[in-house]
């Protein structure tokens, strides 16, 4: 019975953690952070390729 309670608490904690991560991801998407990061990486890559050519 004690193991069931521990498992239930672990599952509830994991669900809360997943919920928190999803909210952070949504907030980042709304701010456009992800797009800025990707754009910056692509810009660096293009700059590297143009200097090599």
């Amino acid at each position: 019975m004690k193991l069931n309670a521990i498992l239930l608490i672990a599952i509830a904690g994991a669900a809360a953690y997943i919920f928190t991560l999803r909210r952070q991801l949504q907030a980042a998407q709304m701010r456009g952070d992800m797009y800025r990061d990707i754009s910056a990486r692509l810009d660096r890559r293009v700059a590297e390729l143009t200097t090599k050519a």
Side-chain angles (χ1 to χ4, degrees):
M1 193 66 169
K2 186 176 182 181
L3 182 61
N4 287 341
I6 292 172
L7 287 175
L8 185 61
I9 291 169
I11 290 171
Y17 183 64
I18 290 170
F19 179 75
T20 302
L21 288 178
R22 289 181 63 119
R23 287 192 57 174
Q24 288 176 354
L25 176 61
Q26 272 184 329
Q29 286 174 335
M30 299 271 294
R31 287 191 312 266
D33 289 352
M34 293 175 62
Y35 303 110
R36 279 193 291 274
D37 291 344
I38 291 169
S39 174
R41 275 188 251 136
L42 289 175
D43 287 343
R44 282 193 299 270
R45 184 71 178 141
V46 168
E48 290 173 4
L49 292 174
T50 56
T51 57
K52 290 180 182 178

